[in-house]
Amino acid sequence: MSTNHYPIGLKEHDRLQKELGGGIPKGSIVLIEGDYGAGKSVLSQRFTYGFTQENVVTTLVSTELGVRGFLDQMHSLTYDVVKPLLDEEILFIPAEIDASGTLTGSGEDDERKDLLRRMMEAETMWDADAIIIDTFDAILRNDPKFEALVRQNEERQAALEIISFFRDLTTKGKTIVLTVDPSTVDDEAIGPFRSIADVYLQLEMVEVGNDVRRNIFVKRFAGMGEQVGDRVGFSVRSGIGIVIESRSVA
């Protein structure tokens, strides 16, 4: 394994690793931003599976899928994660948040929404080489302390405190991937994450006739020796997974 990045594997299955310059930098913060349906979750799932194929232990936190839904989704993409889960190469943490903003299956009422604190104190999830949180904005939006700071126009300071926690982890070589829907979070809250992200990817979905095409726009990609292009076109196909598209979308 390279000393400066974590490969994302599947070189014979798709060209994503090649398009991203060979992998994701070690000890980096990765921000993946896109509206609903743009492909944030499927990219997170692709990273998770690809990492484990390269012996990169991975934690995936999902605010949208339970265990059954995660297994079904990965199976539909031909990403077989049963063995990596059993071998503890993947730690999947369902953090489903219901319509009232509470964490499904949580305990005491006074802790049910203190999501950021509980996440930071969950030591086991940070033991992995790569930690992916999909979607991070759902945790921000439903945390009462962060919400209170937003009302006081102090969301930027709150974001910087979270970033400090993440930076302590990246100094140990851990890579943290955050997905965010920018339409759900104020720019003041997400701005600091955009500024400090070592890798900043924006996803876009375009409907062309009956086809849905997606683009990864590479806004920043620090820490890699190989050159990374500024746009990667891809589609998602059942029974195949991510497919890199060679055609450009104007």
Side-chain angles (χ1 to χ4, degrees):
M1 188 185 296
S2 168
T3 57
N4 70 333
H5 72 276
Y6 290 126
I8 56 173
L10 304 187
K11 288 185 289 186
E12 306 302 320
H13 188 79
D14 60 39
R15 303 196 312 274
L16 187 60
Q17 177 167 295
K18 180 176 183 295
E19 295 290 340
L20 293 181
I24 303 297
K26 286 183 181 178
S28 65
I29 295 175
V30 180
L31 181 65
I32 302 175
E33 195 175 292
D35 292 337
Y36 179 80
K40 299 184 299 298
S41 292
V42 74
L43 201 57
S44 298
Q45 293 151 8
R46 165 63 180 83
F47 283 174
T48 299
Y49 182 65
F51 279 147
T52 61
Q53 300 304 294
E54 299 290 336
N55 300 312
V56 179
V57 178
T58 306
T59 293
L60 174 62
V61 179
S62 174
T63 62
E64 298 177 344
L65 295 174
V67 175
R68 181 75 259 173
F70 172 65
L71 290 172
D72 288 346
Q73 170 70 4
M74 297 299 268
H75 178 73
S76 75
L77 299 170
T78 67
Y79 301 155
D80 185 0
V81 294
V82 174
K83 188 176 186 300
L85 284 166
L86 293 174
D87 292 344
E88 298 184 348
E89 295 164 355
I90 295 175
L91 172 62
F92 176 72
I93 302 177
E96 295 175 279
I97 298 170
D98 65 24
S100 66
T102 58
L103 189 63
T104 303
S106 52
E108 298 291 332
D109 285 347
D110 62 347
E111 291 191 355
R112 293 188 73 186
K113 289 178 64 179
D114 200 355
L115 303 180
L116 285 168
R117 179 184 62 79
R118 294 175 65 189
M119 180 185 74
M120 291 180 186
E121 292 178 355
E123 294 182 7
T124 302
M125 73 173 277
W126 307 109
D127 287 341
D129 302 313
I131 301 95
I132 302 171
I133 304 175
D134 177 48
T135 59
F136 185 58
D137 62 273
I139 293 175
L140 288 180
R141 285 184 287 109
N142 292 290
D143 183 271
K145 293 181 179 176
F146 191 86
E147 190 178 45
L149 288 167
V150 169
R151 288 197 296 269
Q152 297 166 20
N153 295 318
E154 293 186 9
E155 59 266 52
R156 186 175 182 84
Q157 181 57 38
L160 292 173
E161 291 176 12
I162 300 166
I163 288 166
S164 176
F165 172 79
F166 288 156
R167 276 295 179 217
D168 285 343
L169 292 165
T170 61
T171 60
K172 301 172 184 175
K174 298 180 185 297
T175 290
I176 299 170
V177 180
L178 309 172
T179 72
V180 172
D181 181 344
S183 69
T184 67
V185 186
D186 189 276
D187 276 347
E188 284 296 313
I190 200 62
F193 293 96
R194 289 174 177 149
S195 298
I196 60 87
D198 305 288
V199 176
Y200 176 23
L201 308 176
Q202 284 186 342
L203 306 187
E204 176 190 78
M205 180 176 65
V206 180
E207 293 187 17
V208 182
N210 293 325
D211 291 337
V212 176
R213 299 177 189 170
R214 295 175 170 88
N215 290 300
I216 303 170
F217 289 99
V218 180
K219 298 297 183 180
R220 187 181 309 121
F221 211 105
M224 291 298 289
E226 298 181 39
Q227 187 173 359
V228 179
D230 59 2
R231 186 189 71 83
V232 180
F234 74 99
S235 60
V236 181
R237 300 183 189 176
S238 180
I240 298 176
I242 281 182
V243 176
I244 301 301
E245 303 285 0
S246 58
R247 289 177 295 175
S248 299
V249 178

